[in-house]
Amino acid sequence: ELKVEQNPLFLSMQEGKNYTIYCNYSTTSDRLYWYRQDPGKSLESLFVLLSNGAVKQEGRLMASLDTKARLSTLHITAAVHDLSATYFCAVDMNFGNEKLTFGTGTRLTIIP
Amino acid sequence: DGGITQSPKYLFRKEGQNVTLSCEQNLNHDAMYWYRQDPGQGLRLIYYSQIVNDFQKGDIAEGYSVSREKKESFPLTVTSAQKNPTAFYLCASSIPPGQGWDGYTFGSGTRLTVV
């Protein structure tokens, strides 16, 4: 059974600081996804990582994937208030078994 | 614009009542999924369908039923057997593997409350 763990579950940061959210998963896969969710809203796709060593960046967010370690990171650089949200990572198995297993989420609060 | 439409946005269910949540997509995606989200938690898979007229149970299928008679539509029925249905329900879709795979598209969700 595929398990996905995120840490920390809660993160309170000051504006301008850097931090990293970690996502570990239990079964071999080279497909990992990061989503953002604002309160009461649906999921917004941030990054799709499809191979070992994949690194993607969008603004102040950067995601990477190490399939050998079964680890992905979401790095936040110089945080700003509008990054406050809940961030989920999710993993699916390879072709023929496309269904997502989600982590429990990291609730990020950026303090001015 | 292509996308996934979920309706209604809010739904109230009385005890012992069946309700159906609608999910329609015009993305020409083959696969569709239903997820449930409880407050402060991640999403859990209820049912999924990779092709018309076929679907599989996810991790928490008990008390739910689905149909996939058309490619565009994947309705979810929450039956009276689901004892704690209050949650946020999200529908998603995806293209077949190997065709420029870029992940999943999610709808805007339906918030179901038992009254």
Side-chain angles (χ1 to χ4, degrees):
Chain A
E1 180 187 353
L2 175 58
K3 293 189 185 297
V4 181
E5 294 184 349
Q6 279 181 246
N7 68 84
L9 298 183
F10 299 92
L11 178 56
S12 184
M13 301 172 56
Q14 284 188 317
E15 279 192 327
K17 299 292 187 182
N18 303 336
Y19 210 82
T20 301
I21 299 171
Y22 297 89
C23 176
N24 291 90
Y25 55 97
S26 61
T27 305
T28 300
S29 173
D30 56 5
R31 291 158 38 132
L32 190 134
Y33 310 82
W34 284 98
Y35 295 92
R36 169 182 172 146
Q37 186 178 40
D38 292 298
K41 303 294 186 182
S42 183
L43 300 181
E44 173 190 354
S45 179
L46 295 175
F47 300 108
V48 178
L49 304 171
L50 299 178
S51 62
N52 186 40
V55 178
K56 291 192 175 181
Q57 183 165 4
E58 182 71 36
R60 301 175 187 274
L61 301 177
M62 182 174 71
S64 65
L65 177 62
D66 181 343
T67 60
K68 294 180 181 178
R70 300 178 187 171
L71 171 69
S72 179
T73 60
L74 179 66
H75 187 71
I76 303 154
T77 301
V80 293
H81 180 68
D82 65 5
L83 289 179
S84 296
T86 298
Y87 293 84
F88 291 97
C89 65
V91 177
D92 64 7
M93 304 304 289
N94 294 341
F95 292 158
N97 198 4
E98 284 79 20
K99 48 188 174 78
L100 284 169
T101 298
F102 282 82
T104 50
T106 296
R107 183 175 295 180
L108 175 63
T109 303
I110 309 296
I111 303 168
Chain B
D1 286 339
I4 297 180
T5 301
Q6 288 188 242
S7 62
K9 187 172 182 179
Y10 298 97
L11 184 58
F12 297 90
R13 191 194 94 166
K14 293 182 180 179
E15 295 282 352
Q17 197 177 44
N18 291 356
V19 292
T20 297
L21 283 60
S22 171
C23 178
E24 304 276 336
Q25 53 99 359
N26 61 1
L27 299 165
N28 200 33
H29 285 177
D30 285 300
M32 298 186 73
Y33 313 80
W34 275 106
Y35 288 89
R36 167 180 172 144
Q37 185 178 32
D38 292 288
Q41 299 189 29
L43 281 70
R44 293 180 291 167
L45 182 64
I46 306 172
Y47 269 99
Y48 63 106
S49 167
Q50 293 181 324
I51 197 167
V52 174
N53 293 321
D54 188 43
F55 49 83
Q56 284 78 41
K57 293 181 179 180
D59 300 319
I60 55 165
E62 185 175 351
Y64 300 97
S65 66
V66 293
S67 63
R68 187 82 188 280
E69 297 176 0
K70 298 187 299 182
K71 187 176 185 178
E72 301 79 17
S73 179
F74 191 40
L76 174 73
T77 296
V78 185
T79 74
S80 57
Q82 172 49 244
K83 296 306 178 188
N84 185 21
T86 295
F88 188 46
Y89 291 85
L90 283 165
C91 179
S93 69
S94 64
I95 61 174
Q99 296 186 13
W101 176 262
D102 64 353
Y104 303 79
T105 301
F106 281 85
S108 57
T110 292
R111 192 166 301 278
L112 174 62
T113 304
V114 173
V115 296

